[in-house]
Amino acid sequence: ARTYATHELALFLEEKKLALTAVTGNVLRTFKAWALARVKENPRYRGDENRAKGTVNVKLKWIYHFLNWCQSNFHLPAGTIGPI
């Protein structure tokens, strides 16, 4: 799940032509809507909106872990996702 979540973030950033250093709370909110639309477009989607939102929230959890790691190891500026 972790690798897939970060891969999906990379796809999003590439599609939007954004660098990882451009990630902010607003960008993550846009990603959340983008990822939810992708889940709903998946042929395995069965119409359960709450389950789809749960799937996106799990992805966001792993993305926050990744961004926190990046920020903690000086790959992103301090304060990108808040204090650590």
Side-chain angles (χ1 to χ4, degrees):
R2 176 183 351 194
T3 302
Y4 183 72
T6 53
H7 175 72
E8 191 152 3
L9 176 64
L11 291 174
F12 168 79
L13 293 174
E14 184 177 344
E15 182 179 299
K16 302 297 183 186
K17 300 192 183 340
L18 295 170
L20 184 60
T21 55
V23 173
T24 63
N26 287 334
V27 170
L28 290 174
R29 279 188 282 286
T30 303
F31 169 80
K32 186 175 182 178
W34 179 87
L36 181 60
R38 282 178 49 101
V39 168
K40 289 180 173 182
E41 290 169 0
N42 189 307
R44 294 178 296 188
Y45 176 65
R46 299 289 180 241
D48 187 341
E49 175 104 8
N50 287 331
R51 182 167 281 184
K53 288 178 179 178
T55 298
V56 172
N57 285 336
V58 168
K59 291 176 186 179
L60 282 169
K61 176 186 84 163
W62 287 114
I63 288 168
Y64 275 110
H65 282 290
F66 171 69
L67 293 173
N68 185 48
W69 177 85
C70 287
Q71 187 172 298
S72 297
N73 290 283
F74 307 104
H75 300 290
L76 285 174
T80 298
I81 60 166
I84 49 174

